[in-house]
Amino acid sequence: MSGNSDKQSSFEQKLKTTDQLLQTILSEAPMIIFSADKNGVFSFSSGKVLERLGLLPGQVVGLKIRDVYKDFPDIIEQSDRALKGEEVRSVVMVEGVYFETLYRPIFDEKGEVESIVGIAFDVTDQKKAEKERDIFFDTTLSMICTANMQGYFTRLNAAWGKILGYTDEELLSHPFLYFVHPDDVDATLEEMKKLSQGLSTINFTNRYRCKDDSYKWINWISVPYENQIYATAQDVTENKENEIKQQELLKELERSNNDLEQFAYAASHDLQEPLRKIKNYSDLLSQKYFGQLDDDAQKYIEIITRASGRMQGLIDDLLTFSRISSRGKEIRAISVKAILNDVMDNLEYAIMKNKATVSLPDNFPIIQADKSQICQVLQNLISNSIKYKADADPVIKISITELENEWMFEIKDNGIGIDMDYAEKIFVVFQRLHSQFEYGGTGIGLALCKKIIERHNGKIWLKSEIGKGSSFFFTLPK
Ligand code: ADP
């Protein structure tokens, strides 16, 4: 007997220990575990999460669900459904805490609900994160969406509707290629291929058809993740249209420049013939009637000869000017030394006659240039420095500085200087600051320099002060 009672007390002891263990697990579990009888009266409640409601384990036992949660019609409705035999899952907020709850009915042998058990998890952090994500999703001005690899949007934020004019249903019910401009479909498919290979696409631009049948340029940043595409998009229509307009303007400008060059060429070319006739006939007149004409007539003939000579100069310069782009030679590598040798040879007489000193640069880099055109630029600048000299003999210094992407040339003189108010004007064709009596010239030299330097993708400018001399600069890309 005593053996049996010993066994029993050890069995009871084990049961007690197991029960205590179970109680501890249930009361410490990060959830609420509860049960209720078929009348909806709590028969058990435990779990750490009860603390969030300010309840102790077992505190509600003996109370009806509909009394404890009388202010929560959702809980009453869900527990009633469970009491009628339905398994119910729901998310409800109680006292600022989101609970995801599972109600499960327990049936007796007759198949009638005998009781219900429930488990409720605190999902507040997850719900808050979802809420925050939704707020970001719907308040950003950018279009945000997710799409699947089959080519359908799966979720879109409100910006889509505002920008394209469709409802979410319209956008979700077609493959997104349906909205893409026919000319952009191939490029879009190419981007889709990259995404399906796990590559992100950054700054891809295509056109989307709006509800009103107009098109908008959309710029995309898309990232693939677990068979979904996550994308932000921006309406860049205004920028794109400006860009297109600018390109059109540029083309138009190039076209009108070409027209103008052709006109200048044709006009100057055609003017040569009648001019030659004027010159020849006035020469003939003064030779054939030499001594027979009075002084006035002789003077008039001289004026005609001088004016036609000057006009010949203008026409020659205009012809050179109009030929810069059309008759320019290839731009290729050439040493500055070779260029300066030619320039100094050509200017030898003018330098000597004007007692000018020209100092050459310390370095002679290899540059990318049309040799004869850059010769012409240096020749024009140096001969201007000689022509527009002050009282002192001309001293001209040429230097070359290496910059990051270009060579900068400087031609510095000690001449009469230029009022910087005219710094732009003197680069325009026929613009001169002096009369023909003071200094001869056609006013084309600097315009020619500008056109040549621009053909080489460089810039030309000057720094000067009246009475102190001038520095002309130009750059040539390396
Ligand atoms: P041109 O010498 O035939 O008049 P340019 O186009 O070469 O034509 O020069 C335009 C004007 O710029 C000149 O009339 C002159 O007034 C001014 N200029 C050019 N170079 C210099 C210089 N080195 N010093 C002073 N003035 C200059």
Side-chain angles (χ1 to χ4, degrees), residues 317 380-381 384-389 413 415-418 426-428 430-434 439-448 464 469-470 472:
D317 281 355
N380 284 2
L381 295 177
N384 273 352
S385 290
I386 296 174
K387 180 159 70 168
Y388 299 104
K389 65 177 187 172
D413 66 42
I416 56 172
I418 302 165
I426 56 171
F427 288 102
V428 177
F430 297 141
Q431 295 291 341
R432 313 196 62 231
L433 304 181
H434 300 96
Y439 299 94
T442 56
I444 272 187
L446 287 178
L448 206 70
S464 185
S470 316
F472 280 82

Side-chain angles (χ1 to χ4, degrees), residues 403-417:
L403 304 177
E404 199 180 336
N405 299 315
E406 52 207 358
W407 296 102
M408 184 177 77
F409 289 67
E410 178 182 358
I411 290 83
K412 182 176 164 62
D413 66 42
N414 60 340
I416 56 172

Side-chain angles (χ1 to χ4, degrees), residues 176-407:
F176 49 70
L177 278 181
Y178 170 79
F179 302 99
V180 173
H181 191 288
D183 292 349
D184 297 340
V185 166
D186 286 349
T188 308
L189 282 170
E190 198 55 39
E191 291 301 302
M192 282 291 294
K193 200 168 139 201
K194 277 193 217 158
L195 286 162
S196 68
Q197 291 164 350
L199 301 169
S200 303
T201 76
I202 292 170
N203 288 337
F204 168 66
T205 308
N206 62 4
R207 277 162 290 180
Y208 260 65
R209 191 181 57 252
C210 302
K211 180 86 177 174
D212 64 5
D213 278 339
S214 65
Y215 279 92
K216 288 221 156 121
W217 284 96
I218 309 287
N219 184 270
W220 295 88
I221 295 178
S222 316
V223 180
Y225 180 67
E226 295 196 338
N227 265 332
Q228 279 264 22
I229 300 166
Y230 293 79
T232 68
Q234 235 156 356
D235 174 10
V236 291
T237 311
E238 215 179 303
N239 294 356
K240 201 77 191 177
E241 278 174 356
N242 281 344
E243 204 180 289
I244 292 169
K245 243 182 237 159
Q246 243 168 16
Q247 276 168 357
E248 279 168 3
L249 271 177
L250 212 69
K251 261 196 209 142
E252 179 59 30
L253 206 70
E254 256 171 38
R255 208 184 50 76
S256 76
N257 247 348
N258 269 346
D259 285 356
L260 219 65
E261 265 172 26
Q262 294 211 334
F263 169 77
Y265 176 75
S268 43
H269 188 263
D270 293 354
L271 283 173
Q272 299 213 45
E273 187 45 36
L275 184 64
R276 203 168 298 128
K277 279 212 176 99
I278 294 173
K279 201 166 171 299
N280 288 346
Y281 278 96
S282 56
D283 283 351
L284 206 66
L285 204 63
S286 73
Q287 279 162 23
K288 197 164 176 189
Y289 295 94
F290 186 73
Q292 297 175 40
L293 299 169
D294 64 16
D295 287 353
D296 274 356
Q298 196 61 43
K299 205 168 92 198
Y300 299 154
I301 292 172
E302 271 166 31
I303 290 172
I304 293 172
T305 310
R306 220 181 311 125
S308 51
R310 178 161 158 68
M311 193 163 168
Q312 183 66 54
L314 283 166
I315 288 172
D316 288 347
D317 281 355
L318 206 55
L319 263 174
T320 317
F321 185 79
S322 68
R323 283 169 175 164
I324 287 172
S325 316
S326 56
R327 304 265 173 110
K329 296 209 180 66
E330 205 189 323
I331 294 179
R332 53 195 172 87
I334 174 93
S335 159
V336 170
K337 185 146 200 146
I339 294 178
L340 281 171
N341 280 346
D342 283 8
V343 172
M344 296 305 280
D345 275 355
N346 293 345
L347 293 176
E348 195 183 357
Y349 177 73
I351 291 172
M352 194 187 65
K353 194 176 155 216
N354 291 284
K355 297 197 188 77
T357 314
V358 179
S359 64
L360 298 179
D362 312 328
N363 50 341
F364 297 100
I366 305 288
I367 56 167
Q368 297 295 325
D370 172 337
K371 185 186 173 200
S372 64
Q373 290 193 342
I374 298 300
C375 268
Q376 173 104 62
V377 169
L378 285 161
Q379 215 164 291
N380 284 2
L381 295 177
I382 298 170
S383 52
N384 273 352
S385 290
I386 296 174
K387 180 159 70 168
Y388 299 104
K389 65 177 187 172
D391 292 338
D393 291 340
V395 177
I396 299 146
K397 187 172 170 352
I398 306 171
S399 47
I400 303 171
T401 313
E402 181 169 8
L403 304 177
E404 199 180 336
N405 299 315
E406 52 207 358
W407 296 102

